[in-house]
Amino acid sequence: MTITRRQTLIMAVGAAVATALPFGAFASVEDHITEFTGGAELGNEGLTLTAPTIAENGNTVPIEVDAPGAVSIMVLATGNPTPAAGTFNFGKLAGSQMASTRIRLAQTQDVMAIAKMSDGSFVQATQEVKVTIGGCGG
Amino acid sequence: MAENVKPKVRVPKSASAGEVITLKTLISHPMESGQRKDSDGNVIPRSIINRFTCEFNGETVIDITMEPAISTNPYFEFEAKVPEAGTFTFTWYDDDGSVYTESQDIAIS
């Protein structure tokens, strides 16, 4: 079979769309990170993100962040339509830089936490959560 | 406007001065994400609580920015230092402008 010019064009457009879609979601996660860190480098030590490896119900996934010495911790659900999940800002009377809550996950994805430390550095922790039933259903 | 919004907090009755205590809060709220559609295919508009704060005698313990990814009936657990007897004030800010508050006293034992 010979491939016509038109077919080539259609394939090229299809490939471009296919690559552009996941990249679009990824860029938005990047935007959130840049906005929070100002482009600073991320360390890997000092932040503990606790989340289940398998979440049967994506509507309520318990997560916990713990970063001694942090000023604030941002949580991102990288595979959600809107990746930001929440930001914890610790005040003067915080007993520890720990907090737990429940979040929604649309699908199996990496949950990411970034902590801003009191010395101005940033650390991150990531964990993959497998979701059986997604939490953004309609 | 979210209906039947009811905050619940768990604070120990007393603590020793300087002790670190665990606080748990829950508030009944649908946290409509703005992603769901009704049976006719229309997007249900976003209606969430977008901020939660906890203060002790006017000093901030925690200030949380909340996004649509926070589950229905938002639950938070965190720790606070109690330097003296006083009052914990918990405040939730709704998208629709409503503010829900709850306070709890703590004594020094």
Side-chain angles (χ1 to χ4, degrees), chain A residues 7-90:
Chain A
Q7 280 171 331
T8 317
L9 205 66
I10 290 169
M11 280 193 289
V13 168
V17 168
T19 47
L21 279 179
F23 183 73
F26 187 67
S28 162
V29 171
E30 292 278 286
D31 288 349
H32 280 101
I33 297 172
T34 318
E35 195 186 314
F36 187 69
T37 64
E41 234 168 81
L42 299 174
N44 288 313
E45 299 287 322
L47 170 63
T48 316
L49 168 68
T50 315
T53 17
I54 297 175
E56 284 188 9
N57 182 357
N59 271 312
T60 57
V61 182
I63 58 143
E64 185 182 313
V65 287
D66 186 0
V71 191
S72 58
I73 303 176
M74 177 177 67
V75 179
L76 291 175
T78 56
N80 275 10
T82 51
T87 307
F88 302 92
N89 301 298
F90 299 99

Side-chain angles (χ1 to χ4, degrees), chain B:
Chain B
M1 170 73 201
E3 282 166 23
N4 297 323
V5 175
K6 213 172 169 190
K8 271 190 219 162
V9 296
R10 180 172 289 179
V11 179
K13 288 255 179 305
S14 66
S16 51
E19 192 184 338
V20 171
I21 57 162
T22 302
L23 305 173
K24 292 179 183 181
T25 72
L26 186 67
I27 186 164
S28 53
H29 194 282
M31 293 293 281
E32 194 56 64
S33 66
Q35 300 288 338
R36 297 199 307 152
K37 289 179 180 158
D38 64 15
S39 48
D40 301 327
N42 304 313
V43 172
I44 305 171
R46 166 182 145 156
S47 171
I48 68 164
I49 294 175
N50 54 48
R51 185 174 169 220
F52 165 74
T53 62
C54 170
E55 289 182 352
F56 181 74
N57 291 351
E59 282 279 5
T60 309
V61 174
I62 200 164
D63 183 338
I64 303 173
T65 311
M66 297 161 68
E67 306 286 348
I70 300 286
S71 299
T72 303
N73 303 337
Y75 163 85
F76 291 110
E77 185 180 332
F78 51 93
E79 292 182 331
K81 207 186 284 167
V82 188
E84 67 219 356
T87 312
F88 278 104
T89 312
F90 305 88
T91 317
W92 291 262
Y93 299 86
D94 198 306
D95 268 354
D96 66 12
S98 311
V99 175
Y100 318 108
T101 53
E102 179 79 14
S103 46
Q104 197 85 231
D105 294 335
I106 188 164
I108 292 296
S109 56

